[in-house]
Amino acid sequence: MLLRQPYHGPVRKLVLAFDVGTAYSSISYCILDPGEIPSIRSVSRYPAQDRGGNSKIPSILYYDSNGTVRAIGAEARREHIIERAEKDGWIKVEWWKWHLQPRHSPANRITDDDIRPLPRGKNVVEVLGDFMQYLFRCAHSYIEESYPNGSALWRSLENRIEFVLTHPNGWEGPQQTRIRLAAVLGGLIPSTEDGMARVHLLTEGQASLHYCVDNILDPDALSKTPILASEDGEDGDISASQGVVVIDAGRRTVYLSAYSMTLSPTLIKEIAATECRLQGSVFVTRRAHDFLREKLSGSHFGTPDIVQQMTDIFDRTTKVRFRNPEDPSYIKFGTLCDKDPQHDIRNGQLKLSGQDVAKFFEPSIISIIEAFETQRKAAGTPITFVFFVGDFAASDWMFAKLQAYFRSLDISFSRPDNHFNKAVTDGAVSYFIDQLRR
């Protein structure tokens, strides 16, 4: 882990990082006090979350027919909100981030059929603005509630906030302009030159890489396998360099970003176009759903509602716990009285062959490896380290399968602690702090 130096700025500041993801979003922050070593923290308490909290919230909004926001985040999954939305005709908005996606990118595998329509009269910049406004309110409340004299602390910071907003690699001028406009619409900053100067945009790949460097890469590691860069900062001879790939595997998308890198100081240069694949963890669940529907055909447990219930349980538990295809897996969905031995249901649980469960993961594994090979060939620089982050990285089976592949190539493969909760936002704050030393 890299050691940080005290903050040498003249005044106290707050750094807020937002990662607005396709399925989930998160916030990290750092209070910069002159003379103090910066400490990066995550917002881990949001409205309507289950007790115990979480560092991520769903990127979901409900709008009424007038275009007014009625529920956001974890609130949008509460039973009474869902019931009222059906009663009053509220419109549920999810996966809306894809409306920002550049269509021309060769790495973009998202088609128009994948993108759900927005409510009439709403554009994606307004939706992003509404969502970032909500994140800002959550950060405000969390900081006020988490520190002694929190209200006074917030008043000392509210006019000196630096925002680091992350976005996928490959999003350029048009997308970045819309993000900045959304920050204004959401009330994060005023539409002035000084306000715009407090918004810093960073790719998710770079943010994740900073997090990995901070949390799992020994400062001496690169001295053993040096990543070279020219002294004058120009491209130099990248054929003599070594590289790093970040695999950010989320619920729906998997992004691969390739960089050359040095440490002390941290210097990062993108060396290949980002690869994007629609093979996130939700597609494992979809394949499980299709399998269950076919397996239970003819069983009185094969109704759409029960199959969906089993699928939801598989998504939350069975999928995450799966480690060995030689061992059976179980979906515990009912009571001891629920039995159908002909369909492998006993005592309220469905038994699945480990080999069948492994097949649900296989297309995602193959897709990630194919994307890596495409990127490796394009990089023209040896890849030494691969970091695995995102929600999907929580799967031990995915990690084990990919680790075996990268070991066969003599490439170091690892995932940091808390990788699925805060890699992007913590890394974004780390990036900003690192820039202060230059």
Side-chain angles (χ1 to χ4, degrees):
M1 182 176 291
L2 299 181
L3 298 178
R4 296 205 179 280
Q5 300 299 315
Y7 170 58
H8 294 300
V11 295
R12 170 185 281 174
K13 281 188 176 185
L14 172 64
V15 183
L16 275 180
F18 294 170
D19 173 34
V20 179
T22 305
Y24 289 90
S25 298
S26 58
I27 308 169
S28 292
Y29 71 95
C30 178
I31 298 172
L32 297 174
D33 275 313
E36 299 293 327
I37 295 175
S39 177
I40 301 172
R41 302 180 185 275
S42 299
V43 172
S44 57
R45 188 173 59 250
Y46 294 89
Q49 269 190 336
D50 293 335
R51 190 173 181 180
N54 194 305
S55 295
K56 285 198 171 189
I57 57 168
S59 303
I60 301 174
L61 307 91
Y62 272 109
Y63 287 94
D64 64 19
S65 58
N66 296 318
T68 302
V69 177
R70 304 308 301 253
I72 302 182
E75 299 169 290
R77 288 188 170 171
R78 285 293 180 94
E79 288 81 359
H80 73 280
I81 292 293
I82 296 172
E83 182 178 338
R84 186 173 178 189
E86 292 176 354
K87 176 185 174 183
D88 295 347
W90 295 352
I91 301 167
K92 185 179 183 181
V93 181
E94 56 184 341
W95 316 119
W96 48 269
K97 183 180 174 181
W98 284 352
H99 284 269
L100 286 166
Q101 190 80 13
R103 301 291 195 273
H104 64 273
S105 172
N108 180 23
R109 303 300 178 95
I110 299 170
T111 68
D112 289 340
D113 292 338
D114 298 315
I115 301 175
R116 302 180 184 182
L118 297 175
R120 183 174 298 177
K122 279 284 180 182
N123 62 53
V124 69
V125 176
E126 293 169 327
V127 174
L128 178 58
D130 289 337
F131 197 80
M132 287 203 295
Q133 183 180 66
Y134 177 77
L135 294 180
F136 189 39
R137 290 202 306 267
C138 291
H140 179 175
S141 298
Y142 183 85
I143 291 172
E144 280 199 334
E145 295 169 4
S146 300
Y147 293 86
N149 300 316
S151 295
L153 173 64
W154 181 262
R155 287 194 298 272
S156 74
L157 295 167
E158 61 183 342
N159 294 319
R160 293 195 293 269
I161 303 176
E162 303 285 343
F163 294 93
V164 188
L165 309 178
T166 63
H167 60 80
N169 292 49
W171 285 24
E172 298 176 345
Q175 292 77 38
Q176 292 176 3
T177 297
R178 296 165 92 183
I179 293 172
R180 293 181 185 277
L181 177 57
V184 174
L185 294 179
L188 277 62
I189 57 167
S191 183
T192 62
E193 185 175 347
D194 288 343
M196 290 295 182
R198 292 193 288 115
V199 172
H200 313 271
L201 302 183
L202 182 68
T203 66
E204 293 164 3
Q206 274 194 293
S208 296
L209 182 54
H210 273 270
Y211 180 82
C212 292
V213 168
D214 278 356
N215 288 273
I216 62 176
L217 193 59
D218 189 308
D220 295 329
L222 293 182
S223 66
K224 299 171 184 175
T225 52
I227 299 174
L228 304 177
S230 59
E231 293 182 358
D232 60 5
E234 297 298 323
D235 288 352
D237 180 12
I238 64 170
S239 65
S241 302
Q242 294 174 312
V244 182
V245 167
V246 177
I247 302 174
D248 187 353
R251 287 277 296 170
R252 295 195 51 103
T253 51
V254 179
Y255 287 98
L256 286 82
S257 309
Y259 304 95
S260 64
M261 184 180 70
T262 60
L263 295 180
S264 300
T266 303
L267 299 174
I268 295 172
K269 177 180 174 60
E270 192 168 12
I271 56 175
T274 298
E275 291 292 325
C276 173
R277 297 292 186 273
L278 283 176
Q279 282 293 350
S281 63
V282 73
F283 292 96
V284 175
T285 303
R286 286 187 181 182
R287 288 187 280 271
H289 179 272
D290 293 342
F291 177 87
L292 294 174
R293 185 173 55 192
E294 182 176 345
K295 179 179 177 64
L296 297 175
S297 176
S299 169
H300 61 280
F301 293 106
T303 65
D305 286 348
I306 296 179
V307 169
Q308 186 58 54
Q309 178 193 0
M310 291 182 181
T311 302
D312 293 342
I313 295 169
F314 172 89
D315 186 69
R316 295 193 304 269
T317 61
T318 313
K319 180 177 70 175
V320 178
R321 295 170 183 167
F322 180 69
R323 290 176 175 82
N324 188 345
E326 301 305 317
D327 297 331
S329 292
Y330 296 90
I331 299 176
K332 298 180 180 180
F333 71 95
T335 69
L336 293 175
C337 298
D338 293 321
K339 299 178 181 179
D340 184 353
Q342 287 187 331
H343 292 88
D344 296 318
I345 295 175
R346 294 176 175 83
N347 302 321
Q349 60 183 9
L350 171 66
K351 180 179 178 180
L352 297 176
S353 159
Q355 298 290 342
D356 286 332
V357 176
K359 291 176 183 176
F360 305 155
F361 288 84
E362 199 61 26
S364 295
I365 295 168
I366 291 172
S367 182
I368 290 173
I369 290 174
E370 183 270 329
F372 173 78
E373 288 297 341
T374 299
Q375 199 166 58
R376 184 164 71 136
K377 291 174 184 175
T381 262
I383 303 300
T384 306
F385 299 98
V386 175
F387 296 125
F388 193 32
V389 301
D391 294 337
F392 208 179
S395 165
D396 289 337
W397 178 244
M398 282 291 292
F399 179 78
K401 290 290 286 184
L402 291 173
Q403 185 180 51
Y405 167 73
F406 287 113
R407 276 181 176 171
S408 72
L409 301 176
D410 199 26
I411 293 173
S412 173
F413 180 69
S414 55
R415 56 182 176 179
D417 292 337
N418 298 314
H419 45 81
F420 53 91
N421 275 337
K422 56 182 186 176
V424 174
T425 48
D426 272 20
V429 176
S430 172
Y431 164 84
F432 181 86
I433 294 171
D434 286 346
Q435 297 306 300
L436 296 176
R437 301 203 309 261
R438 297 184 179 181

